[in-house]
Amino acid sequence: MNTIILLLRGINVGGRNKLPMRDLKAILAEIGLANVQTYIQSGNVVCQTDRTDLPTLAEEIGAAIGESQGFVPRILLLSLVDLETAVAQNPFPATDEQHKTLHFYFLESAPSNPDLARLEAAKSESEQFALIGSVFYLYAPDGIGRSKLATKVERALGVAATARNWRTASKLLEMA
């Protein structure tokens, strides 16, 4: 069996798109995923499957959630190797103190024509970023909520993304 990581975007935020993790686990088990583990309430899942066509699996998961919950979240699936590589290639020193300031934006694909100049113009003096393959790394020591750059990432890169902080990425890797 292959270990995969599911990142659901936009669930349990501001009282919208509510999806209790016990319901999510049941939905995933029902479509054949095994050893389903969730981390916090924001759509982080580690599980196992024999399936190798991750885009088709993501569509099936979305359809199952839509049927059960009445909405379809954006779903990004990563292989264990994808997550290991993202953590290993992190260009910024990662410490436990940075768990809220270092972010991984997992992209649906590597951007073909990213506008990095736009992101450079938007960043504060203290922020740093890097794009490596299909992961955008953002170090925002003043907080992600204050970052003007953070709000421009998807548009400047031209691909859909979902972000996780250092603690979450590290925990998912540990769980996997």
Side-chain angles (χ1 to χ4, degrees), residues 22-174:
R22 70 180 179 282
D23 294 352
L24 177 58
K25 287 174 81 169
I27 292 166
L28 297 175
E30 194 172 294
I31 62 173
L33 300 178
N35 303 316
V36 178
Q37 306 170 67
T38 61
Y39 176 66
I40 62 177
Q41 297 296 312
S42 58
N44 303 292
V45 180
V46 174
C47 60
Q48 294 181 317
T49 183
D50 288 329
R51 310 257 314 258
T52 56
D53 184 353
L54 297 185
T56 299
L57 180 57
E59 289 176 15
E60 289 177 25
I61 293 168
I65 292 171
E67 186 176 310
S68 171
Q69 304 295 313
F71 67 91
V72 178
R74 182 175 297 273
I75 300 167
L76 181 69
L77 300 184
L78 302 172
S79 70
L80 178 55
V81 170
D82 293 335
L83 182 59
E84 289 172 332
T85 300
V87 170
Q89 290 182 337
N90 171 25
F92 306 112
T95 65
D96 287 338
E97 294 82 40
Q98 294 175 307
H99 68 271
K100 291 183 180 178
T101 59
L102 178 58
H103 299 271
F104 295 71
Y105 285 71
F106 295 98
L107 310 176
E108 283 190 348
S109 62
S112 59
N113 191 23
D115 188 352
L116 298 180
R118 179 179 183 184
L119 295 175
E120 189 65 39
K123 79 179 188 77
S124 71
E125 284 186 30
S126 64
E127 291 177 319
Q128 298 176 56
F129 69 86
L131 174 62
I132 302 174
S134 60
V135 181
F136 179 83
Y137 301 87
L138 172 59
Y139 174 60
D142 298 328
I144 195 91
R146 293 186 173 150
S147 175
K148 292 180 182 174
L149 184 156
T151 63
K152 297 178 177 10
V153 171
E154 275 187 296
R155 184 164 289 182
L157 297 180
V159 295
T162 188
R164 298 299 188 268
N165 66 29
W166 170 251
R167 177 181 285 165
T168 299
S170 297
K171 182 64 177 179
L172 291 171
L173 187 56
E174 178 186 313

